[in-house]
Amino acid sequence: MKEELIARVIQVLRINMSWMTWNLFLAFIPLALSVWLFRFRRGGSWLWWLGFLVFYAFLPNAPYLLTDVIHLIDDIRTIQSVWMITLVLIPLYLLVILSGFEAYVISLINWGYYLHRIGKSQWIWRVELITHLLCAVGVYWGRFLRFNSWDFITQPDAVLTKGVEEILGKQPLVIVAITFVVLASLYWIMKRVTLGLSQRDSKIGINSGRANSNTPNF
């Protein structure tokens, strides 16, 4: 019985690792782009604007991982072991989902840093809200219409016609609105946690630098 259960868990993990790895890879693309665009570059060139468009095309992949919780329900039905679900499955899903959403949070923090750097700090909260709305639409397109980020290039007509047509229905609008509220709320919480941890680490670094005169202070 134990061997059977362990074999079933391994099978579920193998299946999950495939899509989890791929979805995390897609979620970290906008994070990498945000570092390049907003930390090391200054806008204006055609290359920057191209990277900016790609950034927004891939950004919904990060919060999209929140919807992957539907796979957890199926896996729970498959495994049917309280201990395996509690100690293996749920921690794995939490790690993947939180990692994807943290990539979203840091990407927008970098975007806000760029706006602050160019003297547009007053636009940060507006840009964040607009981004949450755009990503809510993107999450709906990805989960229900099965569009991918590269469909903007491979089939832009389908995205603009079917995507816009579907999004104007009553039920899609409700789903998008709920997704927007969830994204905005989670982002507000995790942004403060992330900034709080980074500020604490920087203070620890400064204090340790003062305590040890032989340690270089960067």
Side-chain angles (χ1 to χ4, degrees):
M1 187 67 179
K2 285 184 180 179
E3 290 79 4
E4 222 175 275
L5 179 61
I6 293 172
R8 197 181 305 161
V9 171
I10 292 174
Q11 182 184 6
V12 169
L13 290 178
R14 278 180 182 170
I15 295 171
N16 285 338
M17 282 302 170
S18 176
W19 65 260
M20 282 180 174
T21 304
W22 176 246
N23 285 357
L24 276 177
F25 170 73
L26 294 177
F28 278 90
I29 289 177
L31 175 59
L33 283 171
S34 74
V35 174
W36 180 74
L37 289 167
F38 308 133
R39 292 284 179 174
F40 299 126
R41 301 280 297 187
R42 192 170 185 88
S45 67
W46 68 269
L47 186 61
W48 189 91
W49 282 109
L50 178 61
F52 183 77
L53 291 175
V54 175
F55 167 76
Y56 262 100
F58 278 88
L59 188 58
N61 289 293
Y64 177 85
L65 278 159
L66 292 172
T67 67
D68 284 330
V69 72
I70 63 172
H71 298 301
L72 175 61
I73 299 171
D74 294 332
D75 289 343
I76 289 174
R77 291 171 181 166
T78 301
I79 293 178
Q80 294 181 343
S81 166
V82 176
W83 289 108
M84 288 295 184
I85 291 169
T86 305
L87 299 178
V88 178
L89 210 56
I90 291 178
L92 176 63
Y93 269 86
L94 281 176
L95 177 63
V96 172
I97 291 172
L98 288 177
S99 296
F101 199 79
E102 183 64 14
Y104 178 71
V105 172
I106 297 175
S107 295
L108 284 187
I109 289 175
N110 288 337
W111 194 183
Y113 169 82
Y114 178 82
L115 290 171
H116 177 73
R117 185 156 57 97
I118 63 174
K120 303 290 183 182
S121 299
Q122 70 275 15
W123 281 93
I124 293 177
W125 67 272
R126 296 182 181 91
V127 166
E128 288 176 344
L129 289 179
I130 292 171
T131 302
H132 297 329
L133 180 58
L134 291 175
C135 285
V137 173
V139 169
Y140 178 84
W141 281 352
R143 175 53 65 190
F144 294 97
L145 303 185
R146 309 310 297 169
F147 282 130
N148 296 305
S149 298
W150 46 88
D151 287 332
F152 284 103
I153 297 175
T154 59
Q155 47 178 341
D157 53 338
V159 175
L160 293 176
T161 55
K162 185 181 177 182
V164 173
E165 181 182 343
E166 287 283 339
I167 210 72
L168 295 178
K170 184 177 180 181
Q171 184 176 355
L173 284 176
V174 172
I175 295 173
V176 169
I178 293 173
T179 305
F180 169 78
V181 172
V182 170
L183 292 185
S185 302
L186 286 178
Y187 173 77
W188 185 86
I189 295 170
M190 290 190 67
K191 178 182 179 181
R192 272 142 190 80
V193 172
T194 302
L195 292 176
L197 289 174
S198 65
Q199 289 172 3
R200 188 192 68 175
D201 290 342
S202 64
K203 287 179 181 178
I204 291 174
I206 292 172
N207 291 334
S208 62
R210 289 173 179 169
N212 186 357
S213 58
N214 294 323
T215 304
N217 191 6
F218 293 100

